[in-house]
Amino acid sequence: MQNIIDFIKQYISNNTFLVILGILTAYQFFYLVVGFFSKKKIFKDTTKINKYGIVIAARNEELVIGKLIDSLKKQTYDKNKITIFVVADNCNDKTAKVAKEHGAIVYERFDESKKRKGWALQYLFKQIEKDYGILSFDGFIFFDADNLVDKNFVKEINKAFVENGDVVSGYRNVKNFDTNLVSSAYGIHFYRSIVSYHRPRQKLNLGTHIAGTGYVINSKHLKDGYNYSSLTEDAEMTLDLSSKGIKIGFCEDAIFYDEQPTSFKTAFTQRKRWTKGRFDVFSMSFIKIIFNCIKRFSFTLYDLFFYNFPWPFYSLIKTLIYPIILGFISENIYTGVSWSDLLKVLAAMFVGLYLQNFVFGLFTVIRERKNIHTTIKNKVVAIFTYPWFNMITIFLALSILVAPKVTWKEITHDDTRSIEEVKL
């Protein structure tokens, strides 16, 4: 036993980078405290009614896109100030037809060489500029085809947009939390982002990040079109805008619902894309982020640097590769520490990781319980099963090292509930 303890001590003493990162990111614990105990910000009512273009990129979404457009048609906001645009991207179903029937302006795009959300949005904004003019709108609100939107979403995000003036992200709720342990884990992941990042950043008057969908951006930032086409265009946009000093705000009362994957295979495929995409964006942007962080003396950029840091690859090295290498070179391996002992150390690390994520999941569900539309039993089960979501990160990184070519793959959405049914 003493030899195992000595091995762990050697692991820690030789991993100076681990200690340094812990110090540099210690502020995130303060975020958790602020996010758990602070109340949401209520934005002041406004008489300014901005004109918005709502943009939706869709690929083979005939089952769900009608429900999204219906929820947008039920907004309490002035209907004359909302125009809904859909790009039916490389579809071989009735997405375009359904979207038109429900009242959207639809552009169809076919390009087999470029199948990705960012390219679809590039095309859509070129058409909007040609037919309407991007600057004829005050801002654009982005949704995915599987989303559903609370009737007060535009009204609430408009109040925040009037105050912020640039970019505001809404509250991402979950459409199908109670389907199974995959969708519930995704749900806790996004609720945790509210508690750990969005709410504390807003409370501390810092910029936050864009998370794929449910946000508004001032049209002036898109006057030259939509120019983000990476695997994770949301991370690319976040770092680009933030490096320019543009603050991304957050509005908790602007609520929308997002459908989550329900199979491990789909989840792994999607998260592999997230991991590779964010690594690519970080590689392209980290020098610019560091430079502007120093230039602007910006804690927001400091925070976003670590938010977008390639943690899965670091976890792979820290949790798996480094201990094995240390086992090979450690003198202790020849003085009583067997490879079975090393496996026990690795197992202990995974147990610790499980417990850490269990605690995060517990506090997240407690804090956001009123927004999670399911039974208490389902919430409790979800807390216990949630940790797998973060524990697979090292395997995501490992799979990218083995097969680095990652492409955007279509995810089937088939939850056809309406906004009223989801909120029951």
Side-chain angles (χ1 to χ4, degrees):
M1 183 64 181
Q2 184 59 44
N3 288 322
I4 297 177
I5 294 173
D6 291 339
F7 179 86
I8 295 174
K9 287 180 179 179
Q10 184 174 351
Y11 169 79
I12 296 174
S13 65
N14 280 279
N15 204 336
T16 306
F17 192 57
L18 172 66
V19 177
I20 294 173
L21 274 182
I23 294 172
L24 293 176
T25 58
Y27 70 91
Q28 292 179 0
F29 176 77
F30 180 63
Y31 271 13
L32 287 171
V33 176
V34 173
F36 186 84
F37 288 104
S38 63
K39 296 181 179 179
K40 67 181 179 182
K41 179 176 180 178
I42 305 295
F43 290 91
K44 296 179 181 179
D45 289 330
T46 179
T47 57
K48 186 174 182 180
I49 309 300
N50 286 304
K51 182 181 179 182
Y52 294 108
I54 295 180
V55 293
I56 305 163
R59 184 190 304 170
N60 295 329
E61 299 282 15
E62 65 178 5
L63 293 177
V64 295
I65 195 166
K67 300 291 186 178
L68 166 61
I69 297 172
D70 288 347
S71 69
L72 291 169
K73 292 287 186 177
K74 296 174 183 177
Q75 292 296 298
T76 55
Y77 199 75
D78 185 347
K79 306 297 190 300
N80 295 319
K81 296 288 186 177
I82 297 175
T83 305
I84 303 171
F85 297 100
V86 172
V87 54
D89 184 44
N90 290 287
C91 294
N92 53 29
D93 69 350
K94 298 178 182 178
T95 295
K97 181 176 182 292
V98 172
K100 288 177 184 177
E101 290 174 347
H102 285 259
I105 297 167
V106 180
Y107 296 96
E108 294 188 74
R109 172 182 178 269
F110 297 96
D111 187 342
E112 291 293 326
S113 65
K114 291 184 176 182
K115 289 184 175 182
R116 190 180 294 173
K117 180 179 176 181
W119 286 320
L121 289 172
Q122 282 184 4
Y123 175 83
L124 178 57
F125 274 95
K126 286 179 181 178
Q127 304 312 309
I128 293 173
E129 173 62 20
K130 182 177 69 174
D131 295 341
Y132 298 87
I134 288 174
L135 294 179
S136 67
F137 297 90
D138 296 300
F140 288 90
I141 303 174
F142 290 68
F143 288 112
D144 288 342
D146 59 289
N147 294 161
L148 292 172
V149 185
D150 182 82
K151 66 181 181 179
N152 293 316
F153 181 94
V154 179
K155 174 185 175 182
E156 294 298 335
I157 211 162
N158 178 66
K159 292 192 292 186
F161 182 68
V162 168
E163 180 177 314
N164 173 280
D166 286 305
V167 189
V168 180
S169 181
Y171 187 107
R172 186 180 201 145
N173 210 318
V174 180
K175 191 177 179 182
N176 58 331
F177 184 94
D178 57 359
T179 300
N180 59 25
L181 62 88
V182 177
S183 61
S184 65
Y186 267 86
I188 293 178
H189 167 74
F190 287 117
Y191 292 126
R192 181 178 169 182
S193 289
I194 303 294
V195 177
S196 301
Y197 295 109
H198 296 303
R199 187 181 295 129
R201 285 171 177 164
Q202 181 184 72
K203 192 71 175 179
L204 299 169
N205 199 30
L206 301 169
T208 190
H209 66 276
I210 295 167
T213 182
Y215 63 93
V216 61
I217 179 170
N218 195 310
S219 59
K220 68 183 180 182
H221 300 312
L222 297 167
K223 61 183 177 63
D224 297 321
Y226 185 91
N227 299 309
Y228 307 100
S229 59
S230 68
L231 287 168
T232 48
E233 77 291 329
D234 51 349
E236 185 181 3
M237 177 185 278
T238 293
L239 294 184
D240 179 55
L241 295 177
S242 299
S243 67
K244 296 174 181 175
I246 297 169
K247 180 182 175 183
I248 300 172
F250 174 60
C251 180
E252 282 199 49
D253 283 328
I255 302 170
F256 69 99
Y257 294 80
D258 191 32
E259 183 178 340
Q260 306 306 326
T262 56
S263 76
F264 282 106
K265 181 179 178 181
T266 301
F268 194 88
T269 299
Q270 184 188 62
R271 293 196 56 212
K272 183 177 178 180
R273 174 180 63 80
W274 289 0
T275 302
K276 180 62 163 60
R278 291 183 64 170
F279 177 80
D280 291 344
V281 170
F282 182 82
S283 300
M284 292 186 298
S285 306
F286 78 95
I287 293 176
K288 180 172 66 173
I289 295 300
I290 293 173
F291 174 80
N292 283 286
C293 177
I294 297 171
K295 177 183 176 182
R296 302 178 187 279
F297 198 63
S298 169
F299 189 80
T300 290
L301 288 176
Y302 175 89
D303 176 29
L304 290 175
F305 174 88
F306 286 108
Y307 175 76
N308 287 277
F309 188 82
W311 293 109
F313 297 95
Y314 171 68
S315 297
L316 173 64
I317 295 170
K318 179 188 73 173
T319 309
L320 193 62
I321 296 176
Y322 183 73
I324 291 174
I325 293 174
L326 185 61
F328 272 114
I329 65 176
S330 172
E331 290 183 3
N332 288 328
I333 208 70
Y334 304 107
T335 57
V337 178
S338 66
W339 284 108
S340 62
D341 291 329
L342 178 58
L343 290 176
K344 291 177 183 177
V345 172
L346 293 174
M349 289 181 180
F350 278 97
V351 170
L353 188 59
Y354 174 88
L355 293 175
Q356 176 187 356
N357 283 284
F358 173 83
V359 171
F360 283 142
L362 174 63
F363 280 93
T364 295
V365 171
I366 290 173
R367 178 62 178 84
E368 302 304 302
R369 63 192 182 280
K370 294 181 180 179
N371 292 319
I372 305 175
H373 302 295
T374 189
T375 63
I376 295 176
K377 177 184 176 182
N378 285 340
K379 293 174 186 176
V380 172
V381 171
I383 293 169
F384 281 92
T385 56
Y386 160 69
W388 74 264
F389 190 89
N390 290 314
M391 292 176 69
I392 68 170
T393 55
I394 65 169
F395 303 105
L396 291 166
L398 185 60
S399 69
I400 290 171
L401 292 179
V402 173
K405 186 177 181 180
V406 179
T407 58
W408 183 293
K409 294 185 179 180
E410 180 182 337
I411 294 177
T412 300
H413 297 113
D414 55 10
D415 190 318
T416 59
R417 287 180 292 175
S418 66
I419 183 66
E420 292 81 10
E421 292 170 322
V422 168
K423 294 183 68 175
L424 286 177

